[in-house]
Amino acid sequence: MSTHYTSHPTIPVNQLELAALPTIDFAKLTGGDASEAQRLLDACVTQGFFYLDLQGSDSSSKILADQYALLDVMKNYFDQPHEVKMEDNIESVTDGFKPIGTFAGVNRNSRDCYETLRVIVNCFSSLVVFFEPLFSRSPTKNILNGSSKMPVTIQKNISLISNFVFDSHFITHTILARLSDALQLQGSARFESNHRDEKPSTTTLVLLHYPQNFDSEYSGHNKHTDIGSLTLLFTPQWGLQLLSPVEKAKSWLWVEPRPGHAVINVGDSLRFLSGKRFKSCLHRVVPTGGMFQEEDRYSIAYFLRPESDIDFEDSDGKTVSVKKWHDEKYIMYTQTHETQDQSTVLTGGMEQTLLD
Ligand SMILES: O=C(O)CCC(=O)C(=O)O
Ligand SMILES: [Fe+2]
């Protein structure tokens, strides 16, 4: 593993307040271990945030290695001049390039300090079709259905990215299935039945880059809960913090990067689908130099989201579709801190529950 992925914040490590997160063993989940499924359920009910140990099975350890290959691809991509990346800015919220400053930043009155390259995974079944002849088709074919103009970097690395999406899909769907088992859900009540491959969704792979920055107009990634069902996050550098529902909003805690593990968090959609039994934990990314981002930071997020036309009850008790929640929340990310303060949408209502 490259050493530059593991650097620490400037605060001495022994003074860091670390989040105490449970570790779930993915190999035990695939092996049908019922007590591990119960621990998974407990993790979703108490914090909605946990480490996933991916080292124990061949099917999952591949993604750990692919993570580093993808991080190298990301470095080359984000190193390009801004104008070149802006050619991939296709006015989509789930696809293409997003420049820094699109959303509110982590410091009051700042804008965000991260850029992303997003790859929509609309209709997963198109990927499965692609996989059958195992990459024998043209790599420029638009296999990640829905991507209106595929960036050259994605085209060039299509097998790495397709593998990554495929493995992310397997991991997140296994978690959904084990959660349904642990809750003894049957038939259409099971979470998988709201996440069918052939149905449209806004499921997206997002490659994030927090550039080195000394301009106070831009800072980090503002507090939020995630929109979707489950986020599978590879975050090998410091910066991620959460506000634990267990500690009741006492203070932001650091999520320690752990080689061999991904971080999983429950998003609003799965919390709502669980009848608000699960937590969608508030989190943010802060500049590790304190005020400024002193070095480049990279992370990879696979956002599993439910089928777009499913309805649930949102943070205000209103019935909305998954897609409407997605779109409203996305708009809220772009708003000023003052506007964000006046609504429950940014934090999915979680912040309000922490202050009770
Ligand atoms: O970059 C990270 O570590 C977290 C990113 C995140 O929370 C998000 O994109 O929703
Ligand atoms: Fe997030």
Side-chain angles (χ1 to χ4, degrees):
M1 190 177 74
S2 313
T3 46
H4 52 264
Y5 291 127
T6 54
S7 54
H8 290 86
T10 49
I11 309 160
V13 176
N14 58 7
Q15 288 172 26
L16 290 176
E17 282 193 273
L18 299 183
L21 299 180
T23 301
I24 303 299
D25 186 336
F26 187 67
K28 287 189 182 164
L29 292 183
T30 51
D33 183 323
S35 69
E36 199 65 0
Q38 185 58 47
R39 292 184 65 242
L40 169 70
L41 176 61
D42 292 345
C44 292
V45 170
T46 50
Q47 298 202 89
F49 228 101
F50 56 90
Y51 289 109
L52 188 67
D53 186 344
L54 291 168
Q55 298 161 110
S57 81
D58 291 348
S59 66
S60 62
S61 54
K62 170 99 175 43
I63 199 169
L64 290 172
D66 283 350
Q67 157 194 203
Y68 295 108
L70 191 49
L71 287 165
D72 286 341
V73 169
M74 289 162 63
K75 279 205 176 109
N76 288 329
Y77 178 79
F78 289 115
D79 268 355
Q80 299 178 107
H82 183 69
E83 313 77 70
V84 175
K85 291 179 280 189
M86 282 305 281
E87 284 170 21
D88 299 329
N89 180 272
I90 51 171
E91 302 207 351
S92 159
V93 299
T94 46
D95 201 19
F97 177 70
K98 170 203 103 66
I100 68 165
T102 308
F103 303 136
V106 71
N107 293 336
R108 200 80 187 166
N109 298 324
S110 70
R111 302 299 291 172
D112 79 75
C113 194
Y114 69 98
E115 49 185 1
T116 61
L117 181 61
R118 299 158 299 184
V119 187
I120 180 89
V121 189
N122 201 358
C123 287
F124 188 81
S125 44
S126 62
L127 260 178
V128 177
V129 169
F130 174 75
F131 262 76
E132 269 173 350
L134 224 65
F135 310 127
S136 61
R137 297 182 187 198
S138 158
T140 55
K141 192 171 180 294
N142 189 358
I143 59 124
L144 294 163
N145 188 16
S147 191
S148 51
K149 179 175 163 286
M150 195 181 278
V152 175
T153 296
I154 305 296
Q155 290 178 30
K156 280 194 182 149
N157 295 283
I158 199 72
S159 48
L160 172 67
I161 289 163
S162 299
N163 271 315
F164 204 90
V165 167
F166 209 74
D167 290 343
S168 300
H169 173 279
F170 175 67
I171 291 167
T172 50
H173 277 252
T174 301
I175 291 172
L176 284 184
R178 293 294 86 82
L179 284 171
S180 301
D181 292 347
L183 286 168
Q184 297 180 328
L185 302 177
Q186 308 289 336
S188 62
R190 289 179 68 84
F191 296 124
E192 307 92 288
S193 65
N194 294 328
H195 296 80
R196 290 168 294 176
D197 291 343
E198 66 280 12
K199 297 287 180 182
S201 80
T202 55
T203 296
T204 312
L205 176 70
V206 180
L207 313 176
L208 300 97
H209 171 223
Y210 300 72
Q212 185 191 53
N213 169 57
F214 298 101
D215 177 351
S216 58
E217 210 177 304
Y218 300 100
S219 68
H221 192 324
N222 194 23
K223 69 176 179 190
H224 65 284
T225 51
D226 286 348
I227 297 173
S229 302
L230 291 168
T231 303
L232 170 66
L233 186 66
F234 293 88
T235 184
Q237 287 167 279
W238 289 86
L240 180 63
Q241 295 185 327
L242 60 79
L243 209 50
S244 170
V246 179
E247 302 269 328
K248 276 266 178 191
K250 283 212 187 78
S251 61
W252 288 96
L253 303 170
W254 294 84
V255 178
E256 181 180 18
R258 272 211 206 156
H261 297 71
V263 170
I264 299 267
N265 64 285
V266 172
D268 298 331
S269 298
L270 191 59
R271 174 165 164 255
F272 297 154
L273 288 172
S274 75
K276 300 188 182 150
R277 194 163 165 200
F278 297 169
K279 304 291 186 304
S280 61
C281 191
L282 262 161
H283 56 285
R284 65 181 190 177
V285 179
V286 294
T288 46
M291 189 63 189
F292 299 115
Q293 185 66 34
E294 289 182 347
E295 59 178 13
D296 290 38
R297 177 182 188 276
Y298 300 85
S299 57
I300 305 168
Y302 181 80
F303 293 105
L304 175 73
R305 299 189 175 132
E307 297 167 24
S308 291
D309 59 5
I310 304 275
D311 286 339
F312 48 48
E313 188 183 283
D314 73 8
S315 43
D316 290 332
K318 279 195 308 235
T319 301
V320 294
S321 70
V322 164
K323 183 69 169 58
K324 188 155 190 288
W325 179 256
H326 170 274
D327 294 350
E328 278 181 9
K329 182 123 175 164
Y330 189 88
I331 291 168
M332 188 54 69
Y333 286 160
T334 68
Q335 301 297 298
T336 61
H337 292 92
E338 288 71 26
T339 305
Q340 290 180 342
D341 287 347
Q342 284 155 26
S343 153
T344 61
V345 172
L346 181 72
T347 67
M350 280 299 293
E351 190 163 46
Q352 290 71 18
T353 69
L354 296 179
L355 299 171
D356 288 347

